[in-house]
Amino acid sequence: MGYFQPGDTALRREVLHGRPWAVTPSRVVLDEPGLLVVFVVPGTRFGFPDHHWPHGWQVAGNSHWHGNGKLQMHRPDEAYSVDLYWHGEQRKFGGWYLNLQDPYRRTELGFDTLDHELDYWVPAEGEWIEKDREDFERQVLEGKYSPELAERIRRQGVDIEAMLTTGTTWWDPKWADWEPDPDWPVPTLPEGWEDYPLP
C-alpha cells in the first residue's frame, strides 16, 4: 500500500469491537516510513456509523471540528499519537497532547486506529498532566476494552510518563510553528464511507 501525498485526504477511522466507530477526514501533511502527519481542518464533519457503543462526541452533539484544527503525528507501531493544538485568532501554540490509541493500520482510504481514552497533556508552558484516568478505568469495567488491552494501555502510560519525566521526547519542537496551507479546502467524507470494509 503506497504513501499519501501532502494535501491528500486520509480517513482516520476508529474501529471498536470489530466495527467502524468514528471517521474523521484529514489532510495529509507528511507521510514517510517513520512518520505520518495529518491535520484536522477547522469545520471538518465527523462520521458516526451506527454502533452499539455511541461515540462520546456524538452523544455530546459535536458533529464538526471547531477551533484552529489539530495536527496529529504518528510513528509506526506506536500506541499513541502526538497532537498539536493552537488557540485564539492569533493561533498561539497551546501544547502537545499525547493521545493513547491503537497503532495505526493503513487502509486504501487512510488508516484505522482506536482511541484509548487515557491521555497526557504537555502544555507549552508548565508541567505535563495525565488526563481521563477515571473515564478509562470506568470504560474498562463497562467492557469497552478487554482486560488484556487495558493492561497494555496502562503500560503504555507508564512508558509515556517516563519519557515526559526524563525529557526524552522524540518529536521536533519546530512543529509548533507549522501552519496549514490556506488553499486546503475542508475535506469531506467520501460516498460510501459508512460501508467501506475493514482490511
Side-chain angles (χ1 to χ4, degrees):
M1 199 170 296
Y3 292 99
F4 293 100
Q5 297 301 310
D8 283 353
T9 297
L11 298 187
R12 179 187 183 274
R13 185 171 62 171
E14 294 192 58
V15 178
L16 175 63
H17 298 166
R19 297 171 55 189
W21 187 45
V23 183
T24 305
S26 306
R27 287 286 174 210
V28 174
V29 175
L30 177 70
D31 189 13
E32 57 187 27
L35 187 64
L36 169 63
V37 183
V38 299
F39 180 63
V40 180
V41 180
T44 297
R45 182 174 73 87
F46 308 122
F48 299 113
D50 289 336
H51 201 286
H52 67 275
W53 193 295
H55 194 281
W57 287 357
Q58 182 181 21
V59 173
N62 295 328
S63 60
H64 295 73
W65 184 267
H66 300 284
N68 288 293
K70 68 173 175 178
L71 195 71
Q72 296 180 290
M73 304 192 298
H74 313 77
R75 295 202 300 182
D77 303 319
E78 214 154 53
Y80 66 95
S81 66
V82 178
D83 303 351
L84 286 71
Y85 288 87
W86 294 266
H87 305 303
E89 293 184 1
Q90 300 303 315
R91 201 169 176 274
K92 181 180 179 181
F93 179 63
W96 318 83
Y97 193 93
L98 279 63
N99 187 72
L100 275 68
Q101 61 183 34
D102 285 351
Y104 73 87
R105 304 175 298 278
R106 290 183 179 274
T107 69
E108 291 292 337
L109 296 183
F111 59 99
D112 287 353
T113 184
L114 173 63
D115 186 90
H116 289 167
E117 195 65 34
L118 186 63
D119 304 303
Y120 292 84
W121 172 240
V122 186
E125 299 176 358
E127 299 295 323
W128 63 267
I129 60 172
E130 181 191 72
K131 294 179 63 66
D132 304 323
R133 170 70 68 171
E134 291 184 2
D135 288 340
F136 163 70
E137 296 295 352
R138 172 180 54 79
Q139 292 178 5
V140 172
L141 294 175
E142 292 174 349
K144 180 179 178 182
Y145 309 108
S146 69
E148 294 78 15
L149 176 56
E151 187 54 34
R152 290 201 301 271
I153 295 170
R154 294 186 189 101
R155 288 199 302 269
Q156 180 67 77
V158 171
D159 291 344
I160 286 176
E161 290 178 13
M163 176 182 67
L164 296 177
T165 299
T166 59
T168 54
T169 54
W170 55 264
W171 55 85
D172 189 340
K174 293 180 180 178
W175 278 106
D177 299 323
W178 178 86
E179 295 185 4
D181 187 329
D183 294 328
W184 279 349
V186 177
T188 58
L189 293 164
E191 184 176 352
W193 66 271
E194 294 176 286
D195 301 320
Y196 184 64
L198 295 174

